[in-house]
Amino acid sequence: MRTSTSGTLTATPLGDARIIAADDFAFAPLPGRRTTLATPVSPAAGATHVTLHVVRVAAGESFSPEASAEEENTAVVFAGRGTAAVGSRTRRVGRADAVYAPTGQALALTADAEGLTVYIWRTPLASGRHPGTDPEPFSSLWDETTQLRGFGGTGQIAPDTDRATMNFVFWPGNGSSQLCLHCGIQQPGQTFNVHLHPDSDEAFFAFEGIGQMYLRDRWIDVAAGDVLYAAPGVLHGARNPHTGPEARRFVTCGGPSPYDPALYSAAGLSSDVR
């Protein structure tokens, strides 16, 4: 069942960079539904390229982003269980599962009895870009098939030596033509070093644990569910400053839109779309 995303609340201005706490998300019910929608990042709020929805799909209901077949979509399940459909393909999904819907294939999410909370990135395919020949529609944040290790940042801020690992969940090598989805695993004491993207928006969120996100000129405390937005050229990063026997990993996920070839080059990989 298709659900329109029209009628949402007025977007809060992002400026060129902002962290939006999960407690500040403005959820609005979809017309005639129990499903609610917040849109912390969007062009209407000042984003350059990307829209980020947070959707609480009510038990037994379905959600599909408006005009999803005309755009690229990626999604990460934050809580609950249900079914994801990409075009004619379906899969059962739960926490940490990820979905990619290329242009031409609609994304739909249906919740089980416990409901489904999902973060969804959207962007129109830019002129000159084409869908991959065989894109991978289903994955997980914990997919370690392709990774970036030892990233030192882009040089504006001195790098930390204890460096986090990033999983490339959806990227050009498995068929994503514009959006990407990366998962940063910051173990206690580790940093994904500060960097910028010259031509890309960055929108990512804290998936698990507590940690810090760097934005523009400082580190800011965040917790699971909080979102970071950085316009092109704005410095950002993530770290887990906590150490000791009680410390736990801090996990982030999202990515630049359009994807930034420099990240794949840093991993020794091609950014050609499969």
Side-chain angles (χ1 to χ4, degrees), residues 6 22 40 45 66 68 72 76 104 118 141 167 176 179 189 196 211 214 225 230 250 256 262:
S6 60
E66 189 172 25
S68 69
E72 291 214 315
V76 170
V118 186
L141 297 184
N167 296 337
S176 299
L179 279 178
L196 58 78
Y214 191 94
F250 173 54

Side-chain angles (χ1 to χ4, degrees), residues 190-226:
Q190 290 187 339
T191 299
F192 193 81
N193 280 298
V194 174
H195 59 287
L196 58 78
H197 308 293
D199 303 307
S200 306
D201 282 358
E202 177 77 72
F204 68 88
F205 78 100
F207 179 80
E208 177 185 306
I210 56 174
Q212 294 181 331
M213 294 177 180
Y214 191 94
L215 193 59
R216 194 185 289 110
D217 61 358
R218 70 195 65 187
W219 290 102
I220 301 167
D221 292 336
V222 295
D226 295 350

Side-chain angles (χ1 to χ4, degrees), residues 107-129:
L107 169 68
L109 299 151
T110 302
D112 285 355
E114 61 190 289
L116 196 62
T117 300
V118 186
Y119 285 64
I120 301 174
W121 293 257
R122 305 171 50 188
T123 188
L125 198 61
S127 176
R129 292 182 182 260

Side-chain angles (χ1 to χ4, degrees), residues 81-148:
R81 296 196 63 82
T83 301
V86 176
S88 61
R89 290 174 288 185
T90 63
R91 178 169 292 189
R92 297 284 300 158
V93 293
R95 179 168 167 79
D97 285 333
V99 186
Y100 170 69
T103 301
Q105 298 186 44
L107 169 68
L109 299 151
T110 302
D112 285 355
E114 61 190 289
L116 196 62
T117 300
V118 186
Y119 285 64
I120 301 174
W121 293 257
R122 305 171 50 188
T123 188
L125 198 61
S127 176
R129 292 182 182 260
H130 305 282
T133 57
D134 186 23
E136 175 58 51
F138 304 111
S139 188
S140 163
L141 297 184
W142 316 135
D143 184 350
E144 299 178 349
T145 303
T146 311
Q147 296 180 314
L148 171 58

